[in-house]
Amino acid sequence: MIDQARIDALGDMLFEAQRTRQPIDKIAALEPTCTIEDAYRIQSRMMDRRIADGEKVIGKKIGLTSKAIQDALGVYQPDFGILTDAMLFQDGDTIDLGTLMQPRVEGELAFVLKHDVNGPGVTALDVLQATAYVTPCIEVVDTRFQDWKIAIQDTVSDNASCGVFVLGREKTDPRDVDLRLAGMVVCKNDEVATSGCGAAVQGSPLNAVAWLANTLGPLGKPLKAGEVILSGSQAALVGMQGGDTLSVEIAGMGKCNVHFTGKALA
């Protein structure tokens, strides 16, 4: 286990990388002995710095849930991160890529909870009963490391590679649709870029949220009423540049759009 002083130093480095948009070396180069447990400690330090800087926690995200994303990053287990108000955009907003570093787009389903969900022992049915509504979501993933050739310790340390996210306006009762079978289409500038369905996310987005509740519950971190939970990408990552418009549409649940301006680092 890495000592706490070194954990704090690594978390501070990621905080500064996010603040200054200057990427850093990968964890393997900075601390070769880093375990996944250490990586979550680094994430916690980075997010504590962001919260101390004025950001407010509004939810959580699940990453690395689909085979397409796992294959793209060479990582083969889910992870999780924290969502803050500074990351939130709404359907139709414009995002300046100059505020990001190496962004890519994922299409997924966001859950908004009406009851707390606290593992262990949480089932997909428990998640269904605790959900106020679901809505299409565009997550703009990003990395504070030098490129996207990252290991699990890198993405975990880096708050599950979360950049910002965009929520749709339509609110759907998840009991009214089959979340496994609902098809999703991601378009860039009105051309289909990729597609998928809910079954690509751990068999169902409900299963992914249950996994998160059962992972965080023993750590004393329930999923809380009112929180936004991003359930994980249903298809491959999509690149973008300034001037592009991206949309995510999920059958029976509406559409979410975002426009990009400016230029990212890569």
Side-chain angles (χ1 to χ4, degrees):
M1 178 180 288
I2 302 173
D3 68 77
Q4 190 60 47
R6 182 59 173 158
I7 292 290
D8 290 350
L10 292 167
D12 290 348
M13 289 174 68
L14 279 165
F15 171 75
E16 290 298 327
Q18 187 270 333
R19 188 181 66 83
T20 63
R21 295 178 62 245
Q22 295 298 314
I24 62 174
D25 285 339
K26 296 177 183 62
I27 290 294
L30 295 169
E31 190 58 62
T33 64
C34 183
T35 65
I36 294 176
E37 290 74 18
D38 290 328
Y40 277 115
R41 294 167 63 209
I42 295 168
Q43 178 194 122
S44 181
R45 172 65 177 191
M46 179 181 72
M47 295 311 297
D48 285 347
R49 289 292 308 275
R50 292 182 66 167
I51 292 163
D53 202 40
E55 297 184 39
K56 179 182 177 183
V57 175
I58 60 171
K60 302 173 179 74
K61 66 152 286 185
I62 310 162
L64 307 176
T65 53
S66 75
K67 188 175 186 301
I69 299 300
Q70 290 179 348
D71 287 345
L73 297 181
V75 174
Y76 299 102
Q77 62 189 97
D79 67 351
F80 64 83
I82 303 300
L83 303 177
T84 75
D85 56 346
M87 304 173 186
L88 175 61
F89 289 82
Q90 301 293 339
D91 177 38
D93 281 352
T94 295
I95 295 175
D96 178 5
L97 292 175
T99 63
L100 301 168
M101 295 173 69
Q102 301 166 83
R104 307 288 187 271
V105 164
E106 295 179 345
E108 56 195 277
L109 191 64
F111 288 68
V112 177
L113 302 179
K114 60 182 177 182
H115 302 303
D116 289 1
V117 184
N118 195 10
V122 172
T123 66
L125 180 59
D126 295 328
V127 173
L128 187 68
Q129 293 173 339
T131 300
Y133 64 88
V134 293
T135 190
C137 174
I138 295 170
E139 183 184 356
V140 183
V141 295
D142 202 359
T143 181
R144 269 58 67 168
F145 296 104
Q146 289 182 344
D147 58 50
W148 275 108
K149 295 177 182 177
I150 56 178
I152 183 68
Q153 289 89 342
D154 299 307
T155 186
V156 167
S157 298
D158 197 18
N159 196 37
S161 300
C162 192
V164 297
F165 66 101
V166 186
L167 291 181
R169 298 183 187 277
E170 296 190 42
K171 301 176 180 181
T172 300
D173 188 328
R175 300 159 192 78
D176 294 339
V177 291
D178 189 331
L179 300 185
R180 300 170 304 157
L181 301 181
M184 181 194 73
V185 176
V186 180
C187 291
K188 180 164 69 173
N189 304 326
D190 297 323
E191 296 287 336
V192 174
T194 189
S195 61
C197 67
V201 180
Q202 305 288 292
S204 168
L206 291 166
N207 294 335
V209 178
W211 171 85
L212 181 63
N214 290 326
T215 299
L216 291 181
L219 303 177
K221 299 178 180 180
L223 309 186
K224 297 179 180 180
E227 284 192 328
V228 179
I229 309 296
L230 306 191
S231 59
S233 178
Q234 298 184 15
L237 292 165
V238 177
M240 87 294 282
Q241 59 186 4
D244 287 341
T245 296
L246 272 290
S247 69
V248 168
E249 185 169 7
I250 303 178
M253 288 173 271
K255 193 173 184 178
C256 183
N257 301 273
V258 66
H259 182 70
F260 295 100
T261 60
K263 181 178 175 59
L265 292 182

